[in-house]
Amino acid sequence: MENKNLTLVTEFLLIAFTDYPGWTLPLFFLFLFIYLITLLGNLGMIILIRVDLRLHTPMYFLLSHLSFMDICYSSVTVPQMMAMLLEHGTVLSYTRCAAQFFLFTFFGSIDCYLLALMAYDRYVAVCQPLLYVTIMTQKARLGFVAGAYIAGLFSALVRTVSAFTLSFCGTNEINFIFCDLPPLLKLTCGDSYTQEVVIIVFAIFVIPACMVVILVSYLFIILAIMRISSARGRAKTFSTCASHLTTVLLFFGTLIFMYLRDDSGRSPQEDQVVSVFYTTVIPMLNPLIYSLRNKEVKDALRKILNRAKLS
């Protein structure tokens, strides 16, 4: 083995997009614009849900936590990505890289669990409407959200400890926008079988497990909608799920493309574009999806705007 491959890595150099120096400023201002819209949109959604009594329902309670997670999730990666563009590469210490990986995994896992809980909420609302109030009580909602946070914390802890007990050697360059698992595994040396098995097993309890809950919930929802006799009734019932379904397809579609596909033929540029989409673009789109496709949110927003004009 060459001497350079025996050198242990103690810091990491993020170099995403540095191959295109002419795009530095345009990308910086684009990401800044998206990040500001993400903060304003999600914070606005949280405030709207808090101040409008009509939105004090289980679905919007879960949505407010999803918006909060989107703010945190985006804030872990986007500010650093903008700094990387201005500095033409960012050096991260071992500890800082581990902290970013932990936070990203923590917030991302909670996002997945919340989307699964929202699918269950829609299942109860459509398939068991008479029992909805008794099932989705305030105590149950708090328990569901607390469970999502605890499961996200446990998953992030296990995956971070497993990933950062690996030995990294050779080059310290990560051609990616943040410290994520796929590029980190490319820097490992020595026997990493046990840690990789643990990481994969716990990954199964996040993406595939949440997808099973969502798929089963929507299977029952579709069956219930098909039993509705009128076309208008079917359309009205489906419209209550449309925003959530759109968010699920966007979020899980990109996660599957990024983490559950074959490594052969993958290019760093392709991974960078996909990662930008699910870390930057989707958190911005979520409040837009729920405000544009949801009558209750549009009515609440219109009410607040009219109140502001009169005051």
Side-chain angles (χ1 to χ4, degrees), residues 30 99 113 149 151 204 221 278 282 286:
L30 175 63
Y113 293 131
Y149 279 70
I204 290 171
I221 289 171
Y278 71 80
I282 290 179
N286 283 344

Side-chain angles (χ1 to χ4, degrees), residues 5-185:
N5 291 333
L6 295 173
T7 305
L8 292 178
V9 172
T10 57
E11 62 182 17
F12 301 92
L13 176 63
L14 299 179
I15 58 170
F17 304 118
T18 55
D19 293 336
Y20 309 98
W23 286 89
T24 297
L25 284 178
L27 286 174
F28 173 83
F29 286 112
L30 175 63
F31 293 147
L32 177 62
F33 173 76
I34 292 175
Y35 184 57
L36 291 176
I37 295 297
T38 299
L39 294 180
L40 291 173
N42 284 288
L43 187 60
M45 182 65 72
I46 293 170
I47 294 171
L48 192 65
I49 292 170
R50 292 276 181 162
V51 301
D52 196 293
L53 292 177
R54 292 173 298 177
L55 302 182
H56 289 187
T57 63
M59 182 179 74
Y60 292 109
F61 175 76
L62 295 172
L63 178 59
S64 66
H65 282 272
L66 184 69
S67 293
F68 177 62
M69 283 300 106
D70 281 341
I71 292 173
C72 299
Y73 182 73
S74 184
S75 297
V76 170
T77 57
V78 179
Q80 180 187 275
M81 187 164 57
M82 292 189 295
M84 178 177 60
L85 287 167
L86 292 179
E87 298 167 5
H88 304 287
T90 299
V91 176
L92 296 182
S93 66
Y94 192 89
T95 303
R96 188 177 166 191
C97 185
Q100 186 184 49
F101 178 80
F102 169 78
L103 290 172
F104 177 80
T105 306
F106 176 55
F107 296 132
S109 298
I110 295 174
D111 243 16
C112 292
Y113 293 131
L114 287 174
L115 287 171
L117 288 173
M118 292 171 78
Y120 174 72
D121 170 80
R122 292 298 82 205
Y123 156 74
V124 177
V126 173
C127 300
Q128 302 183 48
L130 298 179
L131 299 176
Y132 183 73
V133 176
T134 57
I135 293 175
M136 299 300 292
T137 61
Q138 185 175 7
K139 185 178 180 180
R141 283 180 267 166
L142 292 172
F144 285 147
V145 171
Y149 279 70
I150 292 169
L153 176 63
F154 184 60
S155 176
L157 278 173
V158 171
R159 296 189 74 203
T160 303
V161 170
S162 299
F164 285 87
T165 51
L166 295 168
S167 296
F168 303 101
C169 55
T171 179
N172 68 338
E173 292 184 351
I174 298 178
N175 193 6
F176 205 63
I177 64 172
F178 66 99
C179 284
D180 198 14
L181 190 59
L184 283 172
L185 290 178

Side-chain angles (χ1 to χ4, degrees), residues 180-197:
D180 198 14
L181 190 59
L184 283 172
L185 290 178
K186 293 177 182 178
L187 306 182
T188 59
C189 55
D191 183 18
S192 60
Y193 177 76
T194 303
Q195 290 95 326
E196 289 188 29
V197 168

Side-chain angles (χ1 to χ4, degrees), residues 70 73 104-105 107-113 115 159 176 178 180 182 203 206-208 210-211 214 247-262 266 271 273-280 282-283:
D70 281 341
Y73 182 73
F104 177 80
T105 306
F107 296 132
S109 298
I110 295 174
D111 243 16
C112 292
Y113 293 131
L115 287 171
R159 296 189 74 203
F176 205 63
F178 66 99
D180 198 14
V206 181
I207 300 176
C210 291
M211 285 178 60
I214 292 167
T247 301
V248 165
L249 291 174
L250 286 172
F251 186 72
F252 282 97
T254 51
L255 289 185
I256 291 168
F257 187 79
M258 185 68 201
Y259 296 108
L260 300 183
R261 65 190 172 106
D262 186 20
R266 292 172 63 160
D271 286 347
V273 172
V274 175
S275 62
V276 165
F277 192 75
Y278 71 80
T279 61
T280 308
I282 290 179

